[in-house]
Amino acid sequence: MGRRLRHRHRRRAPKLVALTNDVLFGDVWDRPGLSARDRSLVTVTTLAALYRGEQLDHHLGVALDNGLGDEELSEATTHLAFYAGRPNAMSAITRLKKIADERDAA
C-alpha cells in the first residue's frame, strides 16, 4: 500500500502511530490474499457498519484511489443497510457524496 500514517497524534501516542504504520500499513495491507481494492471495500463497509465516521472519510478516499467507483461504493452501502442499519448506510452515503463532490471539483 505504501501509505504511512501522518497523524496528529504522533506526539501524544507515538507507539500507536508506529504500530499502525508498521503492522497495519506495513504488513496487513500488503498481504497477498486480497488486492488493495478489495481491502478497501472491506474496510469501508466495516467502518460504515460500526459508524466510525472519522476513519470512514479517510478510507472512502483511499477506496476511490484504489479503484473502487462511486457506484460500487454506493451499491455496497445499500447492501450494508440491511445488515448494519439504514442510519449507518445513510451517513456513509452522505460522506461518500461529499468526498466525491470535492474530488470532482478539484
Side-chain angles (χ1 to χ4, degrees):
M1 182 171 175
R3 297 183 189 276
R4 290 283 182 225
L5 187 63
R6 292 184 189 96
H7 202 271
R8 65 180 179 252
H9 298 306
R10 183 178 305 249
R11 289 170 125 177
R12 191 156 279 129
K15 187 61 174 179
L16 176 61
V17 172
L19 288 169
T20 300
N21 285 335
D22 296 344
V23 178
L24 179 61
F25 295 137
D27 181 27
V28 174
W29 271 87
D30 288 336
R31 292 176 54 79
L34 290 173
S35 67
R37 181 187 180 283
D38 291 346
R39 287 184 193 282
S40 282
L41 183 59
V42 171
T43 302
V44 164
T45 55
T46 300
L47 292 171
L50 295 173
Y51 203 70
R52 301 294 194 260
E54 184 176 325
Q55 293 293 311
L56 180 59
D57 289 348
H58 170 74
H59 281 283
L60 283 167
V62 171
L64 292 168
D65 291 344
N66 284 338
L68 284 160
D70 293 357
E71 292 173 10
E72 292 168 305
L73 290 166
S74 177
E75 185 61 32
T77 304
T78 300
H79 184 79
L80 174 91
F82 292 92
Y83 295 91
R86 184 185 165 281
N88 289 10
M90 291 304 292
S91 177
I93 288 295
T94 300
R95 290 171 179 278
L96 174 60
K97 181 185 182 317
K98 178 181 178 268
I99 290 165
D101 288 350
E102 288 171 356
R103 285 175 173 239
D104 289 344

